[in-house]
Amino acid sequence: IESLFSKHGLSLSRIRGQGYDGDSNMQGEFNSLKSLIMKENVEAFYVHCFAHQLQLTLVAVAKNHIDIASLFILVSNVLNVVGASCKRRDLLRETQAAIVAKSLSNDEIQSGQGMNQEIGLKRARDTRWRSHYGTLLNLIALFASVISVLEVVEDDGSQSEQRADARTFICALESFDCSFNLLLMKNVLSITNELSQALQRKDHDIINAMSLVKVCKQRLQTMLDEGWESLLTEISLFCKKHDIPISNKDDIFILPGRSRRRTPQITNLHHYCIELFYAILDMQLQELNSRFTELNTELLICVACLN
């Protein structure tokens, strides 16, 4: 960085701001890039990359809901088991290749250049762009293969704890509850992820950024107002594809691991629609509205007039 500055006649002493993501080697307290620059110039204040911070905050807000927090914990544990060895990763790859080949032969999926590329499971990292969204996308795409690998671990695992964990994860993944949360968060993150990706582009000015925020809010509101039926259809198709029992909307919701006496007497429809669908979307909208109020949006647009 110093040599680049020198090449263009600049100096570290003239830096007034630093901005990048929150990885430890970038903004850590002692030997990070931020700290090294501030040792040279205490006025070079650090500001977390806003788009990155926004995406992480929206994910964190969703995780404030216990069901979504449980989903991400489950996904992390499944990835640890399936990716624990080269043998399991190879088995996942081979199983998925066989599924794709069978689907192609049955004309269930189309073939063509760039289609049906080999993918793997992605681990969600708070300092990686799109990682949470990418993790859920790949798990959905590899769902049947992941179940197959877990079944092999359940049958042939070297330790009883491994076999027990695999069985537990299979039961959790093959539940309507997991399917609902998985596809709900995939759809929500697809909207907020587009905003975060767009805000990274250097060719956006403040007015364009504010219009993108407005579009993101509108899409979330549209999903809140009109997206329930389409989400339910998507979940039903996913469950049928993977032989997962679909909960009857009028039955009493039973919280796994809780007795009926300790469970509130609500229907499945109330739980999934009101306590999950509406609640998660409302949390996302509230966070965006609190960060981009009408007042500060107008202020940012007015500031852009000085450009």
Side-chain angles (χ1 to χ4, degrees), residues 113-146:
Q113 185 175 1
M115 300 177 67
N116 307 311
Q117 296 295 307
E118 183 179 289
I119 59 175
L121 292 174
K122 292 182 178 180
R123 192 175 301 279
R125 295 275 185 87
D126 284 345
T127 52
R128 283 188 185 174
W129 289 104
R130 302 184 76 247
S131 66
H132 293 83
Y133 180 53
T135 295
L136 299 186
L137 275 182
N138 285 14
L139 177 58
I140 291 169
L142 298 170
F143 192 86
S145 301
V146 168

Side-chain angles (χ1 to χ4, degrees), residues 50-97:
F50 180 74
H52 192 190
Q53 188 179 49
L54 173 65
Q55 184 188 41
L56 298 181
T57 301
L58 292 173
V59 172
V61 166
K63 286 183 179 180
N64 284 337
H65 195 294
I66 188 171
D67 291 64
I68 303 306
S70 299
L71 169 69
F72 279 104
I73 291 171
L74 171 64
V75 170
S76 177
N77 289 334
V78 168
L79 264 59
N80 287 338
V81 172
V82 175
S85 66
C86 294
K87 181 179 179 180
R88 292 179 191 175
R89 291 194 292 271
D90 290 342
L91 178 59
L92 178 70
R93 191 180 302 112
E94 293 166 4
T95 304
Q96 183 64 18

Side-chain angles (χ1 to χ4, degrees), residues 1-5 12 15 17-42 44-47:
I1 291 174
E2 281 186 314
S3 63
L4 179 67
F5 277 23
L12 287 176
I15 293 177
Q18 309 178 61
Y20 27 78
D21 72 20
D23 208 352
S24 59
N25 65 340
M26 300 297 284
Q27 67 106 33
E29 185 175 355
F30 300 109
N31 296 313
S32 65
L33 177 61
K34 176 200 77 171
S35 301
L36 293 173
I37 290 178
M38 291 191 73
K39 286 177 183 177
E40 301 289 330
N41 178 5
V42 295
F45 297 107
Y46 167 74
V47 179

Side-chain angles (χ1 to χ4, degrees), residues 11-242:
S11 168
L12 287 176
S13 64
R14 302 193 64 183
I15 293 177
R16 292 295 178 268
Q18 309 178 61
Y20 27 78
D21 72 20
D23 208 352
S24 59
N25 65 340
M26 300 297 284
Q27 67 106 33
E29 185 175 355
F30 300 109
N31 296 313
S32 65
L33 177 61
K34 176 200 77 171
S35 301
L36 293 173
I37 290 178
M38 291 191 73
K39 286 177 183 177
E40 301 289 330
N41 178 5
V42 295
E43 294 181 342
F45 297 107
Y46 167 74
V47 179
H48 195 303
C49 170
F50 180 74
H52 192 190
Q53 188 179 49
L54 173 65
Q55 184 188 41
L56 298 181
T57 301
L58 292 173
V59 172
V61 166
K63 286 183 179 180
N64 284 337
H65 195 294
I66 188 171
D67 291 64
I68 303 306
S70 299
L71 169 69
F72 279 104
I73 291 171
L74 171 64
V75 170
S76 177
N77 289 334
V78 168
L79 264 59
N80 287 338
V81 172
V82 175
S85 66
C86 294
K87 181 179 179 180
R88 292 179 191 175
R89 291 194 292 271
D90 290 342
L91 178 59
L92 178 70
R93 191 180 302 112
E94 293 166 4
T95 304
Q96 183 64 18
I99 291 174
V100 170
K102 182 178 179 181
S103 299
L104 286 170
S105 65
N106 294 335
D107 294 326
E108 295 174 0
I109 57 176
Q110 295 180 337
S111 61
Q113 185 175 1
M115 300 177 67
N116 307 311
Q117 296 295 307
E118 183 179 289
I119 59 175
L121 292 174
K122 292 182 178 180
R123 192 175 301 279
R125 295 275 185 87
D126 284 345
T127 52
R128 283 188 185 174
W129 289 104
R130 302 184 76 247
S131 66
H132 293 83
Y133 180 53
T135 295
L136 299 186
L137 275 182
N138 285 14
L139 177 58
I140 291 169
L142 298 170
F143 192 86
S145 301
V146 168
I147 295 294
S148 296
V149 173
L150 288 174
E151 288 174 343
V152 170
V153 176
E154 181 188 11
D155 294 336
D156 304 327
S158 58
Q159 298 178 357
S160 59
E161 291 85 356
Q162 291 179 351
R163 297 195 295 273
D165 285 343
R167 176 177 295 182
T168 300
F169 297 150
I170 291 171
C171 292
L173 288 172
E174 291 187 326
S175 66
F176 181 81
D177 199 63
C178 177
S179 301
F180 185 94
N181 294 334
L182 188 62
L183 292 171
L184 170 62
M185 284 310 301
K186 186 266 291 185
N187 283 281
V188 170
L189 290 180
S190 71
I191 296 174
T192 58
N193 179 71
E194 284 185 18
L195 171 63
S196 294
Q197 293 293 307
L199 290 178
Q200 291 179 80
R201 291 172 53 187
K202 294 181 175 62
D203 58 347
H204 280 307
D205 58 23
I206 293 175
I207 294 176
N208 285 334
M210 290 301 97
S211 66
L212 288 169
V213 171
K214 183 178 180 181
V215 168
C216 183
K217 288 182 181 181
Q218 289 173 341
R219 290 186 63 192
L220 285 170
Q221 187 64 52
T222 300
M223 184 177 175
L224 182 68
D225 296 336
E226 306 171 6
W228 169 249
E229 292 298 333
S230 60
L231 175 66
L232 209 58
T233 300
E234 183 181 0
I235 293 168
S236 297
L237 291 173
F238 180 83
C239 290
K240 289 177 181 177
K241 178 181 178 180
H242 298 289

Side-chain angles (χ1 to χ4, degrees), residues 210 217 288-299:
M210 290 301 97
K217 288 182 181 181
L288 285 173
N289 286 330
S290 68
R291 285 173 172 262
F292 301 101
T293 63
E294 291 184 15
L295 183 62
N296 64 30
T297 298
E298 184 179 359
L299 175 63

